[in-house]
Each structure stands twice: as C-alpha cells, then as structure tokens.
Amino acid sequence: MDPSFLAVQALSGLSSASSLFITACGLTIVFGVTRIVNFAHGSLYMIGAYTAATLVPRLLELSFGPVTFWAGILASALIVGIIGVIIEVLLLRRIYGAPELFQLLATFGVVLVVQDLVVQVFGPEDILGPRAPGLRAPVEILGRRFPSYELVLIAAGPIVLGLVWLLLRKTRFGVLVRAATQDRDMVASLGVNQAMLFTGTLFLGAFLAGLGGALQIPRVSANAGMDLSIIVEAFVVTVVGGMGSVPGAFLAALIIGQLQAFGILVFPKSTLVVVFLLMAVVLAIRPYGLFGRAEVIGGTHAVGIASHKPLPGRPFILLAVIAALACFPLLADAYLLKVATEILIFALFAFSLQLLIGVGGLVSFGHAAFFGLGAYGSALAVKWLGTSMVAALPLGLALAALGAALIGAFVVRLSGIYLAMMTLAAAQILYAVAFQWVNVTGGDNGIVGVWPSSWASGPMPYYLLTAALTLVTVLLLKWIIDAPFGYALRAARDSEARAEAIGLKVRQHRWLAFVISGAAAGLAGGLYAFSRGSVDPSLLGISTSVDALTMLLLGGIQTVTGPLVGAAVLHFLRDLIMPLTPLWRLLLGLSIIAMVLIFPRGLVGTVQHWREERA
C-alpha cells in the first residue's frame, strides 16, 4: 500500500486512541478506588458532548477565538464533573454498603434516566458543534490531507496522561487514590475520609468523561446513542489495560486505536468483533490485563451473595404455584397469556444466571450468548433441518450447552470483573457472527417462520408448555443449588484458596456450572424463539444480558426465588410504564433506582432480611 496512506491511517488511529483514552481513564480511576462498574460513565460522556455542542457556540458569539473555544470545552467538562458529584452524593453514597452488583444496577438506572433527560433538555435532533478556530484547514502529510484538529486530539491524550500522572504522584489526593486502588480497606482503617475521597474520585472520573465527550464536537455530532457506543469500548480499554491502571489504559487505547484503523483494511467483515477478540486474547494470556493485579476474591466480595443454607422445602407452596400456573389460562385473555409466557421464559433465563452469580460468585455480563445460542440453535434446526419444535428445542439447548462449555473453559481461570468482561467479549463475538453471517443466520433480518408444533400452537397450549418446562427446569436447578455441588460452588465463591486446600476442584466445578447454566439459558432462548416466531441478533446483544442482570438483582441474589420475582417485576414495570408515556426510560430508570435505594438486597432479599431482623 501507499506509505502516505498508511501514515494517515496510523494518525487517524492515534486520534481515536487519544479520545478513547481520555474517557476510559476516568472509568479506570473510578473503578480502581470505588470498585463500582459505572455504566453511567458513557452517559456522562454524552452529557459532555451535548453541553459543549450547546455552550461553545454561545461563547463564540461573545468572543470568537481559540481561547474561548477551549474555555468552553473545559467549562463543559467541569459541568459534567459537578453532575458526577451530584450522582455520587444523591445515589452512590447511599449504597456503598450494598453488594457491588447493586451499585451497577443503580448506574444502569441512571443511564435510562439520562437518555430521556438529554432528549428533553437538548431536543431529539443531533447537534453538531462548531469547528475549532484556527484548526479548520487540513494539513498535508506526505502529500495527503489530514484534519488539523485530529493532530490536536493526538496530543490531548499524552497531555491528559501527564497531568493525571502528576495528580496521582505529586498530590495528597493522588496518593490516597493510589492507596485505595491497592487496598481500599486499609485506607479506611487508617482514618481516611472515604466519603470525600469517593466524591473527589467521582468528580475526576466524570470530568474526564465530560472532557472526552466535549472534545468530539468538531468531528461528530452529539446524539442520544453515543453513551452506549462509548461505554463498551471504554470498558474494553479499562480491562485490557488492567483495572485501575492508568498507563495500562493508555497502552490499551493505543493498541485498540491502531487495530480499528487497520483492522477494517485487513478484516473488513470483522469490524464489530475485532476489539473483543483483542480483549479475549489478552485475558487468555494475562488474566488481569496488561498492567492489572490479581483481585482478592471472597470475604467482603461475597457478602450478600446467596444464602449459605438452602431454603427449607415447602411442598404446599409448590402445589399452590402449580395450581396457580395451571388455572391462570382460565382467567386470562390471549394478551395476558402472551405476557405471562414471556415472563416465565425470562424468569428461567434469570434463574439460570443465579447459579453463576448467586451461588458461584461468577459475574457474567454476556449471559445473552447462551440465550441467543439456544434461540438460534432451535431456529436453525427448523430452517435447515426441517425439524419440529420437539426436536428443535433439545438441539438449541445442546448448542447453548456446547457454547457454554467452550466459553467456560476460557473464563473459569479468570475472576471478578475480568471474568465478567470475558463473557461479554464472547457474547459480542457471537453477536457479530450472527449479524454478519448472512447466508446462515439471515444477518440483521434474522430467521422467521419459527413456529410451535400444531399441538402447542395458540396462546394457551404454548403457555402451558412453557410453564411446565420452566417449572421443571427451575426445580432441577434448585436441587443442584441445594446439592453438595451447590455447596462446593459456595465454598469456592467465599474462599477459593480454602476450597482448593480441602480438595475441591474449583475450576472443574465452575466449568460445570457454566455448562448447566448455559443449557438452562439455551432452553429459555429456544422457548422465546418459538413464542415470537423469529430470531435476530439482538437476542445476543448487551441489552439482553443487562435484562438478565436487572431481573436477578431486582429480585435479590441472596435468595432462590429472587430471579423469578425480579423477572415478573421488570416486565410488569415495562408493560405498565411503556404504554403510558414516551418517557418510559425515565420512569423505568427512576423505578430501578428507587428499588435499589429502598431494597438494597433486592425485593425478596430485603423482605427476608427484615423478617430475620424482626425475628
């Protein structure tokens, strides 16, 4: 290829890497100190872009010049930093004592709230910011034109890296941040005001997120979808570099920037998956990222994650549940039966995740991989093999179990957030395959015509089939949870070293848990495919995995029945709120935040805790 073209392409990759590092740097620092997986970081990035696109043109009307432009960029970042402090004081500070996954759920509620507020404040249209004064004309590099503003962005990354390094190395605040990143409990025992430290850290992280968004306005328009697009890449940078490592984030951003710049030339059909392939390869070689440290698993990390004792058997409750499920079709119309069928399917999906998170302490951000494999396995069996539903469902379950076995073999050697991100990478790789392998999967159009057999067609027969399969699978999973295998998973979750010391094969148990959980999720996916009559790549997407986490956390990871209640509550909120107002994301997000604040252990877990305290 032309050397000048390669040089320009490399510079473009450096520009993207610099912008990505500035945003990911804030996420890295926040996680290192607070251990919060902040889904709202992308929302702060989006607010920074919208604020700058609105504020900077007004400032330029008063005084046109480079100083005014850059002052507007910094002012926008400061505004976002203040918003980050408000979120920390009003929300996060109240749930620092809750399990870390509930903090993640709260930030997901913030994402939903911000998505609607941004549209209400700034309008539904995309906003393109002004060009930077003095940087409008391109420059020539080896005979090719290159935007001059991109050169400024290339310099911005190292400048931010240098300033953050000085802050962390030469100030008392920076020393405390580094100390908290290494051992947060020791910092607290030394008498450091953790509330102030966390607030300052959230301000710094939000400021960097806002700065990253504000710097984009001359090159891309501010839009309501940029929060989710950036948060995934920022998570990848943070994990590849090593959680809490700023130099690691910088190096990871450089690698990803160049990979994206040249990957599209070498692998044009792999643009959606190349970043996640990089993360998978890095974590397979270095389980804690390039410059990360091993996480301490067990102890406080496991507090509130499932009960140590199985719930006592109550046969009369089981009989009552069976009777209620059987009699429901006598009272419901076709629409309610359809809703109830979907609730049962997602209850099974969430319950399959309970075996990993609630019992094994294995946080999966990509559980949609198994749900989607089950759905596609069943659909492909119908389309290519011409099988009936009776044969297609087991084939979908088998494909999901096989996928879980392969993915689990790689992820069980990881722990904590690294394990979670590896599962996300696997799900995104499968999503890209489903999206781009058009000849087999139908691409974004999916596969249609996936209907139940004649004996199960119709709302009532399919509801009864779904209820029966869900009930049997849930009872089987509960038996596994209460069996010695379930206790072995609990032991490994609470203290891996002690579990290995008494002879437990921890990785083998965790791998088997992945297979069982994936098979159950695959059955839920197959049932969902036949209930809809079609499948598409969205079943493998991040939103599907987030739904499973949300249902599990809303119900409560401390209890066996929590996922079932969480699935019902989430679908009830959606069916109740979405038809009433276009601001359904705002109301749903506020509902999730309210439930996290009022029920910090989940609905069922908090009620059970209250009952135990009264007793």
Side-chain angles (χ1 to χ4, degrees), residues 325 328 335-351 371 463 466-467 470 474 524 528 531 551 563-575:
L325 291 175
F328 184 76
Y335 172 75
L336 288 178
L337 285 174
K338 189 74 173 177
V339 172
T341 301
E342 188 169 314
I343 290 176
L344 288 170
I345 291 171
F346 278 95
L348 175 58
F349 181 36
F351 199 85
F371 185 82
Y463 162 81
T466 302
T470 299
V474 167
Y528 190 67
S531 71
M551 290 182 285
L564 309 178
V565 174
V569 169
L570 182 61
H571 278 77
F572 173 77
L573 288 175
R574 284 179 171 170
D575 291 337

Side-chain angles (χ1 to χ4, degrees), residues 493-548:
R493 176 204 65 201
D494 293 338
S495 180
E496 183 175 342
R498 292 182 180 181
E500 290 179 340
I502 63 175
L504 291 178
K505 298 179 180 179
V506 172
R507 289 188 180 178
Q508 182 176 327
H509 280 76
R510 289 175 171 171
W511 176 81
L512 188 56
F514 260 95
V515 175
I516 296 172
S517 176
L523 176 60
L527 289 171
Y528 190 67
F530 282 104
S531 71
R532 290 181 56 192
S534 64
V535 297
D536 60 76
S538 66
L539 300 181
L540 293 155
I542 295 175
S543 60
T544 305
S545 295
V546 171
D547 281 346

Side-chain angles (χ1 to χ4, degrees), residues 376 434-435 438 441-449 532 534-538:
Y376 268 100
F435 189 84
V438 179
T441 64
D444 56 346
N445 293 321
I447 301 174
V448 297
R532 290 181 56 192
S534 64
V535 297
D536 60 76
S538 66

Side-chain angles (χ1 to χ4, degrees), residues 39-61:
F39 262 117
H41 198 74
S43 300
L44 297 172
Y45 169 90
M46 179 175 64
I47 294 173
Y50 269 101
T51 303
T54 305
L55 177 62
V56 172
R58 287 176 170 76
L59 294 178
L60 291 176
E61 291 177 357

Side-chain angles (χ1 to χ4, degrees), residues 107-291:
T107 60
F108 175 65
V110 173
V111 170
L112 296 176
V113 170
V114 171
Q115 284 179 340
D116 270 354
L117 287 181
V118 162
V119 174
Q120 294 302 310
V121 173
F122 298 101
E125 301 293 332
D126 295 356
I127 303 177
L128 182 62
R131 304 283 293 276
L135 298 173
R136 296 183 175 182
V139 296
E140 281 202 9
I141 299 177
L142 299 179
R144 289 181 178 269
R145 291 187 173 186
F146 189 77
S148 54
Y149 185 76
E150 301 289 320
L151 295 176
V152 174
L153 287 182
I154 293 174
I159 291 173
V160 170
L161 174 64
L163 293 176
V164 170
W165 184 88
L166 290 174
L167 177 67
L168 296 180
R169 296 286 175 176
K170 303 298 182 181
T171 66
R172 183 175 185 274
F173 172 75
V175 171
L176 294 178
V177 167
R178 288 190 291 117
T181 301
Q182 299 294 326
D183 194 333
R184 186 174 61 174
D185 295 332
M186 180 60 70
V187 171
S189 65
L190 293 175
V192 175
N193 188 335
Q194 280 196 310
M196 293 300 297
L197 177 61
F198 287 3
T199 301
T201 303
L202 261 295
F203 172 80
L204 177 60
F207 174 84
L208 290 172
L211 180 62
L215 288 172
Q216 303 307 307
I217 62 169
R219 58 201 300 252
V220 296
S221 58
N223 61 85
M226 62 194 311
D227 55 343
L228 297 181
S229 62
I230 192 63
I231 189 60
V232 174
E233 291 189 353
F235 271 133
V236 172
V237 168
T238 303
V239 170
V240 170
M243 301 301 290
S245 173
V246 174
F250 184 75
L251 178 59
L254 288 179
I255 296 173
I256 289 173
Q258 295 303 312
L259 198 60
Q260 289 177 328
F262 291 100
I264 192 173
L265 303 177
V266 182
F267 306 107
K269 292 187 177 181
S270 63
T271 54
L272 294 176
V273 73
V274 65
V275 171
F276 291 97
L277 280 175
L278 170 68
M279 183 170 70
V281 170
V282 170
L283 292 182
I285 299 172
R286 297 184 60 86
Y288 308 110
L290 298 176
F291 296 102

